[in-house]
Amino acid sequence: MKKIWFALMGLALAFSVSAAQFTEGQQYIQLDKPATGEPQVLEFFSFYCPHCYEFEQNFHVSSTVKQALPAGTKMTKYHVDFLGGDMGKQVTQAWAVAMALGVEDKVSPLLFDGIQKTQTIQTPADLRNVFIKAGVSGEEYDGAWNSFVVKSLVVQQEKAASDLQLRGVPAMFVNGKYMVKNDGLDMSSKDIYVKQFADVVKFLLTQN
């Protein structure tokens, strides 16, 4: 019985130490908004943002956070249209197509490479070709592009960014009430940064 008690105390102390590492204003910001009814993590990004490329493709922050989330926590990624000029809006709609078809993981690396590395994505037709390379038929893409679902998802992405008064990307919000401060985390190594990012998100999910 004593062993179980000490083990539980050890876990409690470990959590207290971990939680004590995170301070409002340093590792996260609390927004003047009510928390969402269900646990959720919302990430905003742009394929035109070099920092988002590093965040996603090199640091793999999004996938690490997703794997670390408690069961029942919803994680959603929204594309912003304030970068990339006219194509920024086209890519936001293309991302809505990816969301509607459930192919985000397939097209994301192709879109990042085509926009950030090779600069081969310059037109709406180039976007369509990316989806075809990812295994989506041209007909399926065209049908989704003009669908009510995709148009609704575009509005949903824009509204979420406006409601949270988004100023830059990448940005990750927890329960609609907290934003992780990217520049407040330990950058001494990539592994430490990514782990701390995931730990902050898990911590914030426990806050009211």
Side-chain angles (χ1 to χ4, degrees), residues 152-206:
S152 297
L153 284 170
V154 170
V155 173
Q156 194 170 305
Q157 293 178 94
E158 294 171 347
K159 184 178 185 303
S162 176
D163 288 347
L164 290 167
Q165 299 178 326
L166 187 69
R167 293 291 179 266
V169 287
M172 195 171 289
F173 294 83
V174 179
N175 291 348
K177 188 174 181 178
Y178 304 98
M179 184 183 76
V180 180
K181 280 189 92 259
N182 302 341
D183 59 355
L185 305 183
D186 188 339
M187 289 291 292
S188 58
S189 80
K190 181 172 77 171
D191 290 342
I192 290 174
Y193 175 83
V194 175
K195 182 181 184 306
Q196 190 177 56
F197 201 110
D199 286 344
V200 172
V201 171
K202 288 191 292 183
F203 166 70
L204 292 175
L205 283 167
T206 67

Side-chain angles (χ1 to χ4, degrees), residues 29 41-57 59-62 65 75-80 82-83 112 116 166-173 178-185 187 193 197:
I29 296 172
V41 175
L42 181 57
E43 178 186 343
F44 291 92
F45 78 107
S46 169
F47 288 110
Y48 289 94
C49 162
H51 294 299
C52 296
Y53 180 90
E54 292 294 321
F55 196 80
E56 177 75 21
Q57 299 297 100
F59 280 57
H60 305 292
V61 174
S62 300
V65 168
M75 182 169 180
T76 306
K77 293 180 65 174
Y78 284 158
H79 192 268
V80 300
F82 52 71
L83 297 175
F112 266 123
Q116 291 281 338
L166 187 69
R167 293 291 179 266
V169 287
M172 195 171 289
F173 294 83
Y178 304 98
M179 184 183 76
V180 180
K181 280 189 92 259
N182 302 341
D183 59 355
L185 305 183
M187 289 291 292
Y193 175 83
F197 201 110

Side-chain angles (χ1 to χ4, degrees), residues 1 22 46 48 55 58 66 90 93-94 106 116-117 124 140 177 191 208:
M1 187 68 183
F22 308 133
S46 169
Y48 289 94
F55 196 80
N58 293 337
K66 189 174 183 178
Q90 298 289 323
Q93 187 160 341
K106 292 182 180 179
Q116 291 281 338
K117 293 181 68 176
E140 188 178 14
K177 188 174 181 178
D191 290 342
N208 294 324

Side-chain angles (χ1 to χ4, degrees), residues 14-23 27 203:
F15 177 78
S16 297
V17 171
S18 175
Q21 296 173 357
F22 308 133
T23 306
Q27 288 86 17
F203 166 70

